[in-house]
Amino acid sequence: MNQNKFMLGVDIGTTSTKAVLYRETGEIIGQSNQGYDLHTPDVRTAEQNPEEIYQAVLYVIRQTIGDAEIDKGDLSFISFSSAMHSLIAMDGNDKAITPCITWADNRSLNWANKIKNEWNGNDVYLRTGTPIHPMSPLSKITWLEQEHPEIAQKTKKYIGIKEYVFYQLFGEYVMDYSLGSATGMMNLEELAWDKGALEITGISKDKLPRLVPTTEIFTGCHSEITADLGIATDTKFVIGASDGVLSNIGVNAIKEGDVAITIGTSGAIRTVIPKPRTDQKGRIFCYALTENHWVIGGPVNNGGMVLRWIRDELAASEVETAKRLNIDAYEVLTAIAKQVEPGSNGLLFHPFLAGERAPLWNANVRGSFIGLTLNHKKEHMVRSALEGVIFNLYTVFLALVEVMDVPVRSIKATGGFSKSELWRQMMADIFDQNVIVPKSYESSCLGACLLGLYAEGKIDSFDVVEELIGFTHQHEPNLEHSQTYRELMPIFINISRSLEQEYEQIAAYQERKSLENKKK
């Protein structure tokens, strides 16, 4: 690695695209960020404008390179990270005929249920690694093909947002194995489009991009684009991988037994294994990082958004207090939660405010407080909401441990929640494990750059990340607290499993009322 050479990581996210410029030795030189809107006209739709995102990619590259004023010849490569599960239909003129349908879009729910319950969905999952859910392109393509023939007939290719960007840059439809494995349509053993998945969607593999390794390097970007970006015409572009698997590299959770847990608005838990594996019960995903690194884990819908809901709906006086004291409202909430003993006096909160992905994979589950008595106060409710988010992640962790061949060595925790000392300690206590908070800075961009170094043969493993990343906090479990949580955990799990039928009934009722109210 060369002190005088630079690498640019670009992360195409759901809310914004970021670019971070590093020296090859890991120091950050510059960065840029450009946000864009998520269009949610109704409860099931979550779309974006693909052209707006492509322009954001160009903007952050141009801005970061321009501000850094480095010599064009000293940029080793640009490497990409991207959000998963997006879908765009392209027509015969290579124009988008749908918006970018994001992972959060639920309109294919009925088809996901059909695939799961009537069309051997579990067999497809076992081969492809993506649990059957409306987030996956498998469900979305099936929905478009079945319900929107006017789109399906015009569609030449179904792609995602990173493939859209690469098409604009190189005029070629290519998808890396990592994003391919997140479509629910790539056979993990064969690294090819799965015949059974294609049969379900009713399309041929010609309608999908060419699959390539995450380390594939592209050159020959259109010259007018390289001129606009201020980069050399022969600049190397590493196709890279998905944001989820790359963040494991970026937080130094890459060795077997290292587990990465992120809680932002939503959350995820992941670990790296050497060969692809799926779970007979269909609870976890398996996505490619490289041919020798596979990431298994589970995403949860309900992370920090639960605390935001508590703040907005139950904590008007605390928000007012925070304003007067000129501090963050969340600090006031966690301070009052701290007054309550672990276990919230037996009050359990199921945090399924936005349905749930792992481990239940059911968009119709609903949130609840269970165990309320006259003795419970607001602070119990706040604490039990925080505990509920971690309880839910722990249930995904249990599924993960069943599939891992090695014991858990460490837990690396990142995301907005890691700013809260109370929440970090709660995780250590509930998981009964040491929790480390790495100094992760834009971990997906760093992961993309390390993958680029690996692609170029400048490093032969990702262990180099240890030299680049220290940690900011470390927590050991409190044995007494862990004992309390161990008693409550089976109750938390059993309740969510027992209410399956009632969740469906409540969801159906809510949907009906929502339609009635629309008509009024």
Side-chain angles (χ1 to χ4, degrees):
M1 293 186 297
N2 187 332
Q3 169 78 17
N4 300 317
K5 288 282 191 181
F6 302 90
M7 49 191 186
L8 186 70
V10 178
D11 177 36
I12 307 167
T14 312
T15 53
S16 67
T17 288
K18 303 176 200 73
V20 183
L21 183 70
Y22 302 86
R23 286 191 196 279
E24 280 194 358
T25 43
E27 302 88 347
I28 292 173
I29 303 300
Q31 58 182 307
S32 180
N33 188 16
Q34 177 81 339
Y36 30 75
D37 293 332
L38 180 69
H39 304 289
T40 52
D42 58 61
V43 71
R44 285 195 165 178
T45 305
E47 298 177 327
Q48 291 178 312
N49 179 339
E51 190 54 31
E52 202 179 323
I53 297 175
Y54 169 60
Q55 292 302 329
V57 171
L58 297 181
Y59 172 83
V60 295
I61 296 174
R62 191 188 307 116
Q63 199 71 13
T64 313
I65 297 290
D67 289 352
E69 296 180 348
I70 61 168
D71 191 286
K72 286 181 186 181
D74 290 337
L75 181 65
S76 295
F77 56 79
I78 300 174
S79 185
F80 287 82
S81 157
S82 171
M84 291 176 273
H85 315 303
S86 59
L87 186 74
I88 304 163
M90 303 292 282
D91 69 12
N93 299 318
D94 303 303
K95 297 281 182 277
I97 47 173
T98 64
C100 175
I101 305 168
T102 70
W103 66 271
D105 194 283
N106 260 334
R107 285 172 292 173
S108 62
L109 175 64
N110 293 339
W111 293 99
N113 289 340
K114 208 179 214 356
I115 294 166
K116 200 179 201 172
N117 303 324
E118 298 172 33
W119 294 350
N120 296 330
N122 198 48
D123 292 350
V124 175
Y125 155 73
L126 291 171
R127 294 193 305 272
T128 64
T130 303
I132 307 299
H133 186 271
M135 72 178 182
S136 80
L138 171 73
S139 301
K140 292 183 175 114
I141 292 173
T142 306
W143 161 65
L144 286 176
E145 288 282 322
Q146 297 278 356
E147 289 191 27
H148 292 279
E150 74 288 358
I151 291 171
Q153 281 157 16
K154 287 184 196 156
T155 299
K156 169 181 159 184
K157 290 280 180 189
Y158 286 114
I159 61 172
I161 190 59
K162 195 202 307 176
E163 297 73 59
Y164 182 87
V165 169
F166 261 67
Y167 181 81
Q168 309 306 319
L169 299 175
F170 297 99
E172 202 182 340
Y173 289 113
V174 282
M175 179 180 266
D176 69 74
Y177 290 154
S178 174
L179 286 170
S181 61
T183 61
M185 299 176 69
M186 186 185 96
N187 188 298
L188 302 180
E189 298 291 341
E190 297 170 8
L191 297 175
W193 296 117
D194 183 79
K195 292 183 181 66
L198 290 171
E199 277 171 25
I200 283 172
T201 58
I203 65 168
S204 69
K205 65 179 184 186
D206 301 341
K207 271 196 167 184
L208 297 171
R210 176 168 68 90
L211 288 164
V212 297
T214 56
T215 49
E216 191 91 351
I217 294 172
F218 291 77
T219 52
C221 175
H222 299 311
S223 55
E224 65 276 17
I225 295 174
T226 56
D228 172 50
L229 297 178
I231 59 176
T233 49
D234 59 351
T235 299
K236 294 175 182 172
F237 286 72
V238 181
I239 195 163
S242 73
D243 52 4
V245 302
L246 287 171
S247 73
N248 262 62
I249 306 179
V251 300
N252 187 22
I254 202 73
K255 291 185 172 148
E256 279 198 89
D258 289 347
V259 174
I261 300 179
T262 307
I263 306 180
T265 307
S266 55
I269 178 164
R270 308 180 188 89
T271 191
V272 177
I273 55 174
K275 287 193 176 75
R277 285 190 71 173
T278 45
D279 164 42
Q280 282 302 328
K281 297 176 189 165
R283 293 166 296 178
I284 60 172
F285 59 64
C286 177
Y287 299 147
L289 172 49
T290 72
E291 285 92 325
N292 305 314
H293 300 84
W294 296 80
V295 176
I296 54 171
V300 299
N301 289 353
N302 302 280
M305 68 159 70
V306 170
L307 192 53
R308 189 171 67 210
W309 176 79
I310 293 276
R311 180 197 71 186
D312 294 347
E313 304 304 332
L314 300 180
S317 59
E318 287 76 11
V319 170
E320 191 54 44
T321 303
K323 271 185 199 158
R324 285 168 184 264
L325 295 173
N326 200 23
I327 58 173
D328 191 329
Y330 293 124
E331 281 182 46
V332 178
L333 285 175
T334 51
I336 67 167
K338 218 171 182 173
Q339 310 304 311
V340 175
E341 285 184 12
S344 306
N345 195 13
L347 178 62
L348 294 174
F349 179 70
H350 286 83
F352 312 132
L353 303 182
E356 194 45 286
R357 287 183 288 170
L360 302 170
W361 296 101
N362 183 347
N364 287 336
V365 295
R366 293 295 183 258
S368 57
F369 282 105
I370 290 193
L372 269 170
T373 69
L374 289 169
N375 292 327
H376 287 112
K377 300 184 170 67
K378 189 191 287 183
E379 41 266 55
H380 290 96
M381 297 173 85
V382 175
R383 183 174 186 114
S384 83
L386 295 172
E387 288 173 340
V389 170
I390 309 289
F391 275 161
N392 190 43
L393 272 166
Y394 183 73
T395 62
V396 186
F397 177 73
L398 291 175
L400 209 57
V401 169
E402 278 181 41
V403 179
M404 289 167 72
D405 289 327
V406 296
V408 174
R409 279 183 353 137
S410 74
I411 287 182
K412 310 279 172 71
T414 62
F417 98 109
S418 63
K419 295 182 189 132
S420 159
E421 190 271 335
L422 173 71
W423 228 352
R424 295 192 303 264
Q425 185 60 48
M426 206 179 265
M427 179 175 279
D429 295 342
I430 290 172
F431 278 70
D432 199 10
Q433 296 274 350
N434 289 349
V435 168
I436 297 163
V437 179
K439 275 185 186 162
S440 68
Y441 188 78
E442 303 301 0
S443 56
S444 296
C445 288
L446 178 58
C449 284
L450 288 165
L451 184 63
L453 290 172
Y454 184 77
E456 286 209 303
K458 290 180 176 172
I459 55 173
D460 54 11
S461 86
F462 297 119
D463 294 351
V464 64
V465 73
E466 283 188 19
E467 298 157 31
L468 305 179
I469 290 177
F471 62 87
T472 54
H473 303 284
Q474 201 161 357
H475 293 263
E476 290 180 9
N478 175 314
L479 296 181
E480 198 183 319
H481 296 176
S482 294
Q483 188 57 49
T484 297
Y485 289 131
R486 223 181 335 247
E487 207 176 318
L488 291 170
M489 180 57 68
I491 307 171
F492 176 92
I493 292 172
N494 290 339
I495 288 169
S496 62
R497 304 299 185 274
S498 309
L499 291 177
E500 216 165 305
Q501 207 177 333
E502 286 75 12
Y503 286 142
E504 296 297 334
Q505 290 168 340
I506 290 170
Y509 172 83
Q510 289 171 335
E511 187 139 329
R512 197 183 77 237
K513 293 306 283 180
S514 167
L515 285 171
E516 284 171 10
N517 291 336
K518 259 188 189 170
K519 286 173 187 169
K520 280 179 185 173

